[in-house]
């Protein structure tokens, strides 16, 4: 389509510039794809436009007639919400993109807004904020990521729609005490350590939880389905490693050939990602969004500190400064490398624990750096810095 002009991609100061188009919606295919007659493209033929920044659940039967649509739980609701917004905007949409050539499966990628009561409303942000869709980062189209990430965190905190864990039906194992931990940043080069990138399904309950037929996914369409008979042991965990390997009772292998969980990289405009656990009915039972944006914290806050020796023989210690035992499980000591406390690791009052990074090799720069104790979703509990470092 011909570019009409440029505009700020997002409201507020500091937004990058985007190319902008307008058009009229012919019909809504699903919760993240619309058929639009784009103004100025020399044709009246509608084009399939893919929304930037969102991933709706999968719809399997597409039709302009709602009664004929079929899809996974939450898919039809997302399509109906987009239709509702488009109708309120009288069918007219404004489309923006940082790169006019951005595509997904041959469909132009565009952020899309409708004007309601004199104000432009971002369809994608509305979908994520109200729990109709997941936030999905797209490479090269980062202008919306921070806002959508926050929208998703708020939707999760409020248990909106797909964040309501029995919306699609009660059970199975509705009372299971499960946790999700995604290790997005494997030690060393992620591309050559695929199995160092994993999703950990933990069980803090006293009974094993069967998860055959359940599945984990990233924010895109990639999913791993647990085989029949898979159980998360009481007080234990099942890991899904991204790469290839031989399955055991507690270690499963996705079999992928590239990393899938986006690392946090502010210089590269990468602000985070998520990992999601669904049951066979399509209910989102648990998720980990990283880094934490709302209701962040740790039971260890104010109870532990770090001691760091960076010159000569390096030494990193976690110290319990409280008068009660503390459990480090679900936390990690992070510098250029990291040490994760994946299993219960209890420190008694006043007790310290020495932590080695990168197998004990020297990894701390004498000129400056920092060491952090973080939650699994990257909330800093304690930090020590020196020289050019910063906490």
């Amino acid at each position: 389509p011909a570019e009409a002009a440029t505009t700020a991609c997002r409201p507020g100061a500091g937004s990058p510039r985007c190319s902008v188009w307008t058009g009229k919606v012919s019909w809504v295919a699903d919760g993240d794809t619309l058929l639009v007659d784009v103004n100025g493209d020399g044709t009246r033929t509608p084009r399939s436009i893919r929304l930037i920044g969102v991933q709706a659940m999968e719809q399997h039967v597409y039709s302009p007639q709602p009664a004929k649509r079929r899809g996974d739980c939450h898919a039809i609701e997302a399509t109906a919400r987009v239709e509702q917004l488009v109708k309120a905007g009288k069918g007219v949409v404004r489309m923006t993109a940082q790169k006019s050539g951005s595509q997904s499966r041959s469909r132009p990628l565009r952020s899309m807004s409708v004007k309601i009561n004199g104000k432009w409303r971002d369809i994608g942000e509305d979908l994520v904020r109200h729990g109709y869709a997941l936030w999905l980062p797209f490479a090269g189209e980062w202008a919306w990521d921070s806002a959508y990430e926050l929208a998703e965190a708020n939707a999760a905190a409020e248990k909106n729609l797909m964040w309501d864990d029995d919306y699609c039906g009660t059970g199975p194992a509705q009372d299971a005490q499960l946790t999700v931990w995604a290790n997005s940043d494997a030690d060393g080069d992620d591309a050559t350590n695929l199995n160092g990138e994993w999703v950990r399904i933990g069980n803090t309950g006293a009974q094993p939880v069967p998860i055959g037929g359940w599945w984990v996914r990233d924010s895109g369409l990639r999913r791993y389905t647990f085989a029949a008979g898979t159980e998360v042991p009481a007080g234990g965990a099942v890991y899904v490693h991204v790469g290839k390997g031989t399955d055991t009772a507690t270690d499963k292998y996705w079999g992928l050939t590239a990393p899938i969980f986006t690392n946090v990289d502010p210089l590269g405009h990468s602000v985070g990602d998520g990992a999601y656990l669904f049951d066979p009915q399509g209910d989102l039972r648990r998720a980990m969004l990283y880094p934490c944006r709302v209701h962040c914290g740790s039971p260890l806050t104010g109870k532990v500190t770090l001691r760091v020796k960076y010159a000569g023989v390096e030494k990193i210690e976690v110290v319990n400064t409280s008068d009660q035992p503390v459990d480090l499980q679900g936390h990690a000591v992070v510098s250029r490398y990291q040490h994760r406390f994946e299993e219960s690791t209890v420190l008694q009052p006043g007790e310290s624990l020495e932590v080695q990074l990168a197998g004990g090799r020297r990894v701390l720069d004498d000129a400056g750096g920092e060491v952090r104790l973080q939650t699994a979703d990257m909330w800093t509990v304690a930090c020590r810095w020196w020289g050019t470092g910063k906490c």
Side-chain angles (χ1 to χ4, degrees), residues 7 16 49 90 201 232:
T7 188
I49 307 293
K90 298 180 174 55
I201 311 303
V232 189

Side-chain angles (χ1 to χ4, degrees), residues 66-122:
K68 294 184 177 181
R69 296 170 185 156
R70 299 291 183 272
D72 294 347
C73 186
H74 305 297
I76 307 305
E77 292 91 330
T79 308
R81 178 60 176 174
V82 177
E83 282 187 324
Q84 182 184 27
L85 292 169
V86 168
K87 182 178 179 181
K90 298 180 174 55
V92 175
V93 290
R94 182 180 68 177
M95 297 165 284
T96 52
Q98 288 173 267
K99 300 178 180 179
S100 59
S102 291
Q103 292 189 344
S104 172
R105 300 185 179 183
S106 301
R107 299 165 297 180
L109 272 173
R110 304 288 184 256
S111 176
M112 204 172 296
S113 298
V114 290
K115 185 173 278 190
I116 301 174
N117 296 327
K119 294 184 178 180
W120 288 107
R121 181 179 297 187
D122 184 326

Side-chain angles (χ1 to χ4, degrees), residues 223-235:
R223 67 166 69 178
Y224 173 90
T225 302
F226 292 99
T230 304
E231 286 189 338
V232 189

Side-chain angles (χ1 to χ4, degrees), residues 139-281:
E141 295 290 349
W142 49 265
W144 300 269
D145 284 346
S146 184
Y148 285 21
E149 180 188 45
L150 180 59
E152 181 169 76
N154 279 309
E158 295 170 9
K159 299 188 181 301
N160 290 339
L161 201 65
M162 68 189 306
W163 297 96
D164 175 354
D165 64 8
D166 61 359
Y167 178 91
C168 308
T170 302
Q174 194 65 47
D175 297 327
Q177 299 174 41
L178 300 175
T179 62
V180 173
W181 180 353
N183 186 48
S184 62
D185 191 1
D187 290 340
D189 182 354
D190 290 10
T192 59
N193 184 18
L194 292 180
N195 288 332
E197 185 173 294
W198 41 254
V199 181
R200 179 187 189 273
I201 311 303
N203 176 11
T204 61
Q207 300 296 325
V209 178
I211 56 167
W214 296 47
W215 38 282
V216 291
R217 64 175 287 175
D218 68 340
S219 52
L221 295 175
R222 295 162 293 203
R223 67 166 69 178
Y224 173 90
T225 302
F226 292 99
T230 304
E231 286 189 338
V232 189
V238 170
Y239 289 78
V240 180
H241 302 273
V242 168
K244 298 177 181 180
T246 302
D247 287 353
T248 69
T250 56
D251 288 87
K252 311 299 180 181
Y253 295 87
W254 207 321
L256 303 178
T257 57
I260 60 169
F261 293 107
T262 306
N263 292 343
V264 176
D265 176 17
L267 294 179
H269 302 294
S270 176
V271 298
D273 203 344
Y276 310 87
L277 173 68
F278 287 81
D279 71 19
Q281 297 179 119

